[in-house]
Amino acid sequence: MTSKTDASTASPTARATSPRAALVTGGSRGIGLAIAEALAAEGFALTISARGAGPLDEAADRLRAAGAQVLAVPADASDPDDLAALLDAHERAYDRLDALVLNAGMGFASPIADTPLRRLDTHIALNLRGTFALTSAAIPLLRRTAEADPRGARVIAIASLAGLMAEPGLGAYGATKAAVVSLCEAVCAEEGASGVSATALCPGYVDTDMAAWKHGDLDPQRMIRASDIAELAVSITRLSRNAAVPVIAVHRADGGLRGA
Ligand SMILES: NC(=O)c1ccc[n+]([C@@H]2O[C@H](COP(=O)([O-])OP(=O)(O)OC[C@H]3O[C@@H](n4cnc5c(N)ncnc54)[C@H](OP(=O)(O)O)[C@@H]3O)[C@@H](O)[C@H]2O)c1
């Protein structure tokens, strides 16, 4: 839970030559951990976050063992106070934010007719409200980072194919993920001139814990790999600031390009 960087004592020159830094929510397992690993291999210093401190520390240790500089901050990504503390910890450690990876998310399958509003509210609190809150709070640091780096700064949100095309049973989840797609487009529209842009990565089923409920009718071997999403996330960070990529749909190759 410590960082080698102490931005409060770093000189401006040290900051300018410091490694690029990324903050990954939901970074203790699944897609978030795969993205953290890929960004670390690319040379990024990392802040990773999740609710469970134990698995988060294990993930951080694993990343450090591979040579990464890692700050691990437990936080509930649906809690605005936790998110403010998380961003503050990241900023104090690195004083730059080249990639904000908005990955923490949840989904509960039920037909709209059987979905109580409190279940919709739970989806909104994490998938939309928390995602919006962290994006909004991070924009000043993203802008400042983009000002000093020709690659600009990126927001990378893990939305879902269910946010682009409806899947029966995923109405509440899909609606919040559609909103994340819209949020990324709005960031591109508002912040493009400052070198900050956003990408909504929209995968179909990815073989992680979250998709385990689907194993009965979908072979996990045929699901998208978390490493596929990580590969796309890292490639976005290699683009010049001139290229904005608001949305990427990632289908299962044998899914007929329909649905998740
Ligand atoms: N797997 C799929 O098929 C699929 C497809 C499309 C999109 N996605 C999206 O991809 C993202 C990652 O999913 P995944 O499949 O990698 O899930 P996962 O394997 O279940 O991992 C979820 C990660 O997010 C963290 N997390 C969950 N709730 C959180 C909260 N309230 N605050 C902070 N962290 C939280 C978890 O740690 P803690 O539980 O300890 O907090 C964990 O690190 C989600 O946004 C999901 O909607 C997944």
Side-chain angles (χ1 to χ4, degrees), residues 49-235:
S49 182
R51 291 166 303 177
L56 185 66
D57 281 341
E58 279 170 32
D61 286 346
R62 193 166 132 186
L63 288 159
R64 288 187 193 109
Q69 183 178 346
V70 185
L71 177 70
V73 182
D76 182 340
S78 66
D79 181 328
D81 292 338
D82 275 17
L83 290 172
L86 168 63
L87 183 63
D88 186 56
H90 174 91
E91 185 166 3
R92 278 189 284 109
Y94 301 117
D95 200 29
R96 61 185 296 160
L97 181 55
D98 301 82
L100 172 61
V101 182
L102 302 161
N103 167 75
M106 56 82 63
F108 191 99
S110 62
I112 293 167
D114 303 328
T115 301
L117 280 182
R118 67 174 180 283
R119 189 173 298 153
L120 174 67
D121 290 343
T122 309
H123 283 86
I124 289 172
L126 178 59
N127 296 355
L128 176 56
R129 197 164 184 272
T131 297
F132 188 102
L134 188 52
T135 303
S136 172
I139 281 177
L141 182 57
L142 289 162
R143 279 186 195 143
R144 192 149 54 79
T145 305
E147 221 175 81
D149 194 303
R151 291 161 294 197
R154 302 273 170 181
V155 175
I156 300 170
I158 313 305
S160 170
L161 208 49
L164 298 178
M165 46 189 70
E167 178 173 348
L170 297 184
Y173 177 74
T176 57
K177 293 298 190 176
V180 171
V181 173
S182 173
L183 174 65
C184 288
E185 291 173 345
V187 169
C188 290
E190 290 182 4
E191 297 297 329
S194 66
V196 177
S197 66
T199 303
L201 288 174
C202 300
Y205 286 103
V206 181
D207 183 19
T208 68
D209 293 349
M210 190 176 182
W213 68 280
K214 203 70 184 166
H215 286 177
D217 50 18
L218 192 56
D219 180 355
Q221 292 300 320
R222 290 157 65 187
M223 289 184 184
I224 298 159
R225 314 248 72 90
S227 57
D228 295 327
I229 307 308
E231 188 69 29
L232 288 169
V234 168
S235 66

